[in-house]
């Protein structure tokens, strides 16, 4: 069905947008590197492909005058999702252009900001590209060469957004959201124990850290307990069998 | 589609915060491996996060690099923290540079303040949603309020915000633990700078829609003195005389109905507007000392005593009437008081002397009849004369004349005579040829200096005539003839 296809494509675009933002945040800092620039480039291209695909699909659906009112409302909602994604992408692309220009990689005295982030962003990029491992094959001057491409791509995105606004008559403020306040809490209950530990470090409360690790300890204790029970059971069975 | 109103009022061309570029250059210089700020590591339970600095190190570096003293370096450092280039790790809501061992870290360039990248509400909503996930619904009070507000008016984007928040959260988990911590701290610091918690204010507050009025008094201590002044002010405000709007509006209506035919905008200028037809009959007819005034002018005198007195022709007419009645001293005194008000400061004491001798001294030749209290005040004031010393007496005389003499004047034969004599010019009707003729025949009017000289001569004559009649001289003449 058209709707489901759209939804999956939008989800993909959403994922790529989020990952792109993470990558741009790392630009200019100590976790910046050639790899990061290449990741940015690849993520960007993927985002554009998805954007174009989404746009053609959604415009086709919205231009169709024979759909029902509910369907149309749903498509308008999807359209708002799409345009918001595109806006965020555009802003991030512009920012990456600026920061990329301010912090070139191949200069003799490289002053990258020491933000404390030292890890690589490979996993984030892999998530964006939906691959297991990233392959890096770019050449050394990617940081300057890429910037020109980036400029053209920003212009393309601008143009696309203008066309979108012109062709499709959707009133974004008339769309009603399906999620209510606090909806993000519901589906992320299984946040995981490790994240609790992460927050506590930020919040200056070492007690929670102990609690976070205590959680791990509890699981561990549970595992050991069941193992002991099993061994006891087996021994008892053997004793009964042998006696 | 967000409706992007360009509300920066052109500031992206002329950035007010030009200091931001300089601050960026400074921060980049701080990164130098050899000459930059010393960085150490932060140890948190199991993870170590590098690139953390102590406040005093930053201070020392700034003082050294910019060659300023400690106090100035402190101010510069606090500025960097307030703008968000450096953020504190402990006590993250207070954006100052503490000159002790408290820890600071640099902010990533994405989160640096730039005037052209305004922090959008969409991003703030996504951040709050992420924080909500992390803290499992236990946001700060002000954050919760903002969250509800944004949910209300960004409702159409809320699906997107939730989706994006979840995705960003999951993408964040892909990184290693230390980086995740740093990311959290960075984002939190950014939003503390750009959406300041209540009762703090942001250093990036600038432009037309800033929250804090820089001209308001800083911390106005409401002392007893302040309250006393406010009380006096309000008491006086209550005591001010007020007029009911029904009364004042009635007065306006009355004024308009009386004067509407005389208004130069509403009624046409008779005989013709000299500026349009180049024919200055209108000015000739309305000169100060014209023999026969126009009917409109005479009618205007009857409206109020003030109108009569302010028109010089009317005043002259009134004077004639008063001479017949032998009560000219009131008007003379009034004119003398006017002269004192508008005259030069040097002649003030001399004039005061004359006025006293002529009008106010007991047994004076032109003694005016004012009540005892006013007389006493005026005489006392004349000892140290100033411009307005005769004000009370003048007002009294004015009211006397208005209430009594004015009405008699209006009923007198003098006035009726002049009413009959007054001319009412017919409106001109020039053809185009005549208009051209008029334009050619334009000539300058009488020089105002000449008019003034004429008036001065007349005044001198009047003064001489009004002087104390020297009986002896008069009788001398008569005796001589004999």
């Amino acid at each position: 069905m058209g709707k489901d296809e759209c939804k999956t494509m939008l989800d993909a675009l959403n994922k790529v947008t989020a990952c792109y933002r993470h990558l741009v945040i790392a630009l200019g800092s100590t976790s910046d590197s050639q790899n990061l620039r290449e990741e940015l480039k690849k993520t960007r291209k993927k985002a554009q492909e998805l954007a174009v695909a989404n746009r053609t699909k959604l415009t086709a659906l919205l231009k169709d005058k024979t759909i029902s009112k509910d369907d149309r409302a749903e498509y308008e909602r999807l359209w708002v999702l799409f345009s918001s994604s595109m806006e965020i992408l555009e802003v991030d692309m512009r920012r990456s252009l600026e920061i990329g220009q301010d912090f070139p990689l191949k200069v003799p005295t490289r002053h990258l900001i020491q933000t404390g982030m030292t890890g690589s962003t490979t996993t984030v990029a892999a998530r964006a590209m939906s691959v297991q491992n990233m392959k890096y094959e770019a050449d050394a001057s990617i940081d300057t060469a890429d910037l020109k491409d980036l400029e053209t791509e920003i212009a393309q995105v601008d143009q696309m957004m203008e066309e979108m606004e012109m062709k499709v008559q959707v009133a974004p403020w008339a769309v009603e959201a399906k999620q209510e306040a606090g909806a993000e809490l519901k589906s992320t209950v299984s946040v995981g124990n490790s994240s609790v530990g992460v927050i506590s470090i930020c919040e200056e409360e070492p007690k929670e850290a102990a609690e976070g690790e205590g959680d791990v300890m509890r699981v561990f204790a549970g595992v050991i307990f069941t193992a002991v029970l099993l061994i006891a059971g087996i021994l008892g069975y053997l004793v009964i069998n042998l006696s | 589609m967000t409706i992007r109103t360009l509300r920066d009022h052109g500031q992206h061309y002329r950035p007010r915060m030009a200091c931001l570029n300089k601050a960026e250059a400074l921060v980049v210089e701080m990164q130098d491996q050899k000459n930059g700020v010393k960085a150490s590591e932060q140890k948190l339970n199991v993870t170590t996060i590098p690139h953390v600095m102590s406040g005093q190190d930053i201070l020392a570096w700034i003082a050294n690099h910019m060659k300023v003293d400690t106090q100035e370096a402190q101010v510069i450092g606090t500025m960097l923290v307030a703008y968000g280039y450096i953020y504190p790790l402990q006590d993250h809501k207070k954006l100052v540079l503490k000159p002790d061992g408290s820890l600071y870290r640099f902010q990533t360039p994405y989160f640096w303040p730039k005037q052209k990248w305004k922090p959008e509400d969409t991003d703030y909503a996504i951040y709050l949603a992420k924080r909500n996930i992390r803290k499992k619904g236990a946001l700060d009070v002000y954050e919760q309020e903002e969250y509800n507000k944004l949910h209300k008016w960004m409702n159409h984007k809320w699906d997107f915000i939730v989706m994006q928040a979840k995705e960003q959260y999951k993408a964040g988990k892909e990184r290693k633990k230390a980086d995740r911590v740093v990311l959290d701290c960075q984002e939190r610091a950014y939003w503390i700078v750009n959406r300041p918690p209540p009762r703090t204010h942001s250093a990036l507050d600038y432009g037309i829609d800033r929250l804090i009025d820089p001209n308001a008094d800083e911390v106005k201590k409401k002392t007893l003195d302040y309250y006393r002044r406010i009380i006096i002010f309000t008491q006086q405000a209550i005591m001010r005389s007020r007029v009911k709007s029904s009364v004042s509006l009635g007065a306006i209506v009355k004024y308009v109905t009386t004067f509407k035919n005389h208004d130069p905008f509403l009624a046409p200028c008779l005989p013709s507007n000299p500026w349009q037809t180049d024919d200055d009959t209108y000015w000739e007819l309305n000169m100060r000392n014209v023999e026969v005034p126009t009917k409109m002018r005479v009618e205007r005198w009857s409206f109020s005593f003030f109108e009569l007195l302010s028109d010089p022709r009317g005043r002259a007419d009134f004077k004639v009437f008063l001479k017949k009645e032998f009560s000219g001293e009131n008007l003379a005194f009034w004119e003398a008081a006017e002269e004192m008000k508008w005259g030069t400061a040097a002649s003030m004491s001399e004039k005061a002397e004359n006025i006293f001798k002529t009008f106010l001294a007991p047994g004076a030749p032109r003694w005016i009849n004012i009540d005892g209290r006013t007389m006493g005040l005026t005489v006392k004031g004349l000892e140290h004369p100033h411009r307005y010393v005769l004000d009370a007496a003048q007002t009294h005389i004015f009211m006397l004349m208005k209430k009594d003499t004015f009405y008699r004047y209006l009923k007198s034969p003098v006035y009726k005579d002049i009413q009959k004599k007054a001319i009412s010019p017919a409106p001109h009707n020039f053809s185009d040829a005549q208009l051209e003729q008029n334009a050619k025949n334009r000539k300058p009017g009488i020089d105002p200096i000449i008019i003034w000289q004429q008036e001065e001569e007349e005044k001198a004559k009047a003064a001489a005539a009004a002087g104390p009649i020297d009986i002896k001289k008069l009788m001398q003449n008569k005796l001589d003839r004999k």
Side-chain angles (χ1 to χ4, degrees):
Chain A
M1 244 259 290
K3 254 191 256 178
D4 292 333
E5 268 183 54
C6 269
K7 280 208 192 118
T8 31
M9 286 211 294
L10 270 174
D11 281 338
L13 179 63
N14 203 21
K15 189 165 71 165
V16 173
T17 315
C19 295
Y20 191 67
R21 175 160 276 199
H22 269 282
L23 294 173
V24 180
I25 288 179
L27 248 188
S29 65
T30 35
S31 60
D32 196 358
S33 66
Q34 183 136 329
N35 287 347
L36 177 64
R37 305 286 168 119
E38 201 182 328
E39 284 160 15
L40 276 170
K41 181 173 176 171
K42 290 200 171 140
T43 320
R44 212 170 61 225
K45 293 244 178 327
K46 175 114 195 235
Q48 278 213 281
E49 287 167 30
L50 277 171
V52 172
N54 263 306
R55 183 195 63 159
T56 33
K57 187 103 186 119
L58 271 174
T59 30
L61 282 171
L62 279 169
K63 280 208 165 140
D64 188 10
K65 302 252 194 267
T66 59
I67 49 179
S68 68
K69 228 171 141 204
D70 290 333
D71 273 351
R72 189 159 179 97
E74 179 62 20
Y75 290 141
E76 286 188 4
R77 193 181 75 91
L78 294 176
W79 181 260
V80 168
L81 287 175
F82 174 57
S83 52
S84 320
S85 274
M86 287 313 296
E87 279 169 15
I88 291 206
L89 255 180
E90 196 206 337
V91 166
D92 280 345
M93 272 164 53
R94 280 189 203 270
R95 286 216 206 190
S96 74
L97 177 66
E98 265 221 25
I99 304 177
Q101 282 168 341
D102 284 337
F103 292 95
L105 289 175
K106 291 285 172 274
V107 283
T109 49
R110 212 161 84 154
H111 283 152
L112 292 174
I113 309 291
Q114 295 166 347
T115 52
M117 306 237 275
T118 45
S120 76
T121 43
T122 330
T123 38
V124 179
R127 187 188 166 82
M129 308 292 293
S130 317
V131 292
Q132 283 293 82
N133 292 312
M134 291 284 296
K135 285 192 283 281
Y136 295 102
E137 61 236 352
D139 56 344
S141 64
I142 187 170
D143 48 342
T144 37
D146 192 32
L147 291 176
K148 292 199 195 54
D149 287 341
L150 183 49
E151 282 181 35
T152 42
E153 279 179 31
I154 292 177
Q156 276 177 1
V157 167
D158 255 345
Q159 204 190 12
M160 183 160 80
M161 286 184 73
E162 266 193 58
E163 274 180 33
M164 273 161 52
E165 286 172 25
M166 290 298 132
K167 283 195 186 150
V168 178
Q169 313 288 344
V170 172
W173 49 87
V175 168
E176 278 185 35
K178 279 203 178 148
Q179 321 257 20
E180 67 272 16
E184 61 269 10
L185 292 171
K186 296 200 177 72
S187 47
T188 49
V189 174
S190 56
V191 149
N193 299 324
S194 50
S195 54
V196 178
V198 169
I199 316 154
S200 59
I201 293 165
C202 246
E203 308 293 349
E204 318 156 35
E205 273 174 305
K207 282 185 232 156
E208 270 193 356
E211 201 188 84
E213 296 188 341
D215 265 347
V216 179
M217 299 306 284
R218 257 182 247 135
V219 169
F220 203 63
V223 167
I224 293 174
F225 181 59
T226 32
V228 166
L229 263 180
L230 265 176
I231 294 169
I234 294 170
L235 279 172
Y237 180 68
L238 285 172
V239 163
I240 293 169
N241 265 356
L242 286 174
S243 61
Chain B
M1 180 196 83
T2 318
I3 297 174
R4 261 178 271 195
T5 46
L6 205 70
R7 278 202 349 196
D8 63 353
H9 303 276
Q11 289 302 319
H12 55 277
Y13 295 125
R14 293 173 279 114
R16 283 191 202 213
M17 310 221 80
C19 54
L20 293 180
N21 283 335
K22 298 184 192 172
E24 280 173 26
L26 185 65
V27 171
V28 169
E29 277 188 38
M30 278 193 192
Q31 310 300 321
D32 199 26
Q33 295 288 358
K34 275 184 277 158
N35 305 329
V37 185
K38 274 190 304 173
S40 52
E41 293 191 338
Q42 184 193 20
K43 280 193 169 33
L44 298 160
N45 294 326
V46 262
T47 42
T48 42
I49 306 174
H51 305 146
V52 88
M53 308 156 289
S54 69
Q56 60 205 28
D57 278 344
I58 300 177
L59 253 185
W61 186 89
I62 295 176
N64 196 359
H65 179 87
M66 303 187 81
K67 304 205 181 11
V68 290
D69 62 341
T70 334
Q71 207 185 16
E72 180 105 23
Q74 167 85 16
V75 170
I76 295 175
T78 311
M79 180 188 85
L80 286 178
V81 176
Y83 282 148
Y85 289 103
I86 302 175
Y87 58 93
L89 293 174
Q90 301 131 337
D91 197 7
H92 53 266
K93 286 199 185 156
K94 197 154 173 227
L95 298 174
V96 279
L97 186 74
K98 294 196 200 138
D100 50 14
S102 38
L103 303 173
Y104 293 85
R105 199 179 279 138
F106 288 113
Q107 180 72 279
T108 180
Y110 185 83
F111 286 136
W112 278 356
K114 277 217 193 287
Q115 199 167 353
K116 53 179 155 173
W117 302 121
K118 271 194 109 150
E120 296 282 340
D121 284 319
T122 322
D123 294 330
Y124 189 46
I126 296 176
Y127 163 70
L128 283 178
K130 272 199 283 188
R131 203 165 156 75
N132 210 9
I133 299 175
R134 238 186 288 122
K135 295 190 90 172
K136 295 192 173 52
L139 290 172
D140 284 343
V141 175
Y142 78 97
E143 282 177 345
Q144 188 66 47
E145 279 177 24
E146 290 287 325
Y147 183 84
N148 295 337
K149 257 197 274 179
L150 286 168
H151 174 72
K152 191 167 159 196
W153 69 266
M154 287 191 90
N155 196 287
H156 58 282
K157 276 191 171 180
W158 201 254
D159 286 345
F160 169 71
I161 289 169
V162 168
M163 267 171 68
Q164 184 67 217
K166 284 199 257 186
E167 276 300 329
Q168 283 189 9
Y169 187 76
K170 285 183 204 157
K173 286 211 285 189
E174 298 284 338
R175 307 200 67 177
K176 68 178 210 220
K177 194 161 177 194
D179 284 352
R180 250 185 287 157
V181 174
V182 173
L183 198 60
D184 278 343
C185 294
Q186 277 177 356
E187 223 181 342
R188 185 183 60 179
Y190 177 68
W191 286 113
I192 285 180
V193 169
N194 284 301
R195 294 277 191 267
R199 284 180 294 281
T200 57
H201 76 269
S202 162
L204 292 173
D205 217 10
Y206 66 88
I208 292 178
D209 34 42
R210 59 188 142 188
L211 299 168
I212 302 233
D213 178 11
N215 290 328
D217 286 334
E218 262 300 318
V219 180
K220 185 138 187 184
K221 271 200 69 189
K222 306 254 172 105
T223 57
L224 188 64
D225 201 36
Y226 168 77
Y227 282 119
R228 202 180 287 142
R229 292 215 330 262
I230 297 280
I231 289 171
I232 294 174
F233 176 74
T234 37
Q235 279 174 342
Q236 287 177 340
I238 293 170
M239 287 195 302
R240 279 199 274 261
S241 65
R242 287 157 296 189
V243 178
K244 272 196 199 166
S245 57
S246 56
V247 172
S248 62
L249 290 172
I252 290 179
V253 168
K254 195 162 144 212
Y255 181 86
V256 169
T257 39
T258 1
F259 280 89
K260 71 174 177 226
N261 290 330
H262 297 260
D263 189 279
F265 282 119
L266 296 176
C269 174
L270 299 170
S272 61
N273 190 338
W275 297 113
Q276 287 179 334
T277 55
D278 293 315
D279 180 278
D280 55 356
T281 324
Y282 177 69
W283 290 332
E284 298 280 320
L285 289 177
N286 285 314
M287 289 228 298
R288 284 167 70 100
N289 48 6
V290 73
E291 269 298 317
V292 184
T294 58
K295 254 206 178 40
M296 295 294 277
R297 207 170 169 182
V298 175
E299 191 189 331
R300 211 171 163 158
W301 298 343
S302 68
F303 286 160
S304 89
F305 186 51
F306 182 69
E307 292 285 331
L308 177 67
L309 279 192
S310 18
D311 191 358
R313 183 70 183 81
R315 209 192 285 183
D317 218 44
F318 191 56
K319 227 183 272 193
V320 167
F321 168 70
L322 287 176
K323 216 189 268 203
K324 289 219 176 114
E325 298 245 323
F326 295 105
S327 54
E329 66 268 7
N330 285 342
L331 187 59
F333 176 72
W334 189 87
E335 281 187 340
E338 282 287 294
E339 236 179 83
M340 184 136 165
K341 259 203 299 198
W342 298 103
T344 62
S347 58
M348 196 93 38
S349 43
E350 191 197 313
K351 276 194 203 154
E353 276 288 317
N354 283 341
I355 289 176
F356 181 72
K357 267 197 295 196
T358 333
F359 296 104
L360 296 172
R366 310 190 78 181
W367 191 76
I368 52 169
N369 195 357
I370 48 179
D371 65 305
R373 197 177 71 102
T374 324
M375 178 70 91
L377 276 171
T378 319
V379 170
K380 222 165 57 160
L382 276 173
E383 283 164 33
H384 304 279
H386 59 90
R387 218 171 269 281
Y388 302 107
V389 65
L390 298 171
D391 217 25
Q394 188 186 14
T395 322
H396 187 91
I397 292 287
F398 184 85
M399 295 312 277
L400 263 179
M401 288 199 283
K402 178 172 143 173
K403 289 193 176 136
D404 182 31
T405 338
F406 181 54
Y407 290 110
R408 279 191 281 133
Y409 168 73
L410 287 180
K411 293 193 201 110
S412 71
V414 180
Y415 184 65
K416 294 220 165 39
D417 206 27
I418 207 109
Q419 261 184 323
K420 265 186 255 156
K421 274 207 277 185
I423 50 175
S424 174
H428 281 148
N429 209 344
F430 290 122
S431 67
D432 281 334
Q434 280 172 317
L435 283 175
E436 276 185 37
Q437 193 86 0
N438 289 343
K440 276 190 224 146
N441 293 345
R442 270 201 298 223
K443 53 187 192 316
I446 303 180
D447 198 340
I449 294 182
I450 298 183
I451 297 184
W452 181 77
Q453 280 173 348
Q454 286 176 349
E455 277 183 16
E456 290 288 299
E457 281 169 27
E458 281 190 24
K459 252 196 264 176
K461 259 194 276 173
I469 304 168
D470 204 349
I471 303 267
K472 277 206 194 139
K473 265 216 201 118
L474 202 67
M475 295 317 290
Q476 195 112 35
N477 278 342
K478 287 206 173 141
L479 285 168
D480 276 346
R481 257 197 282 126
K482 238 197 194 166

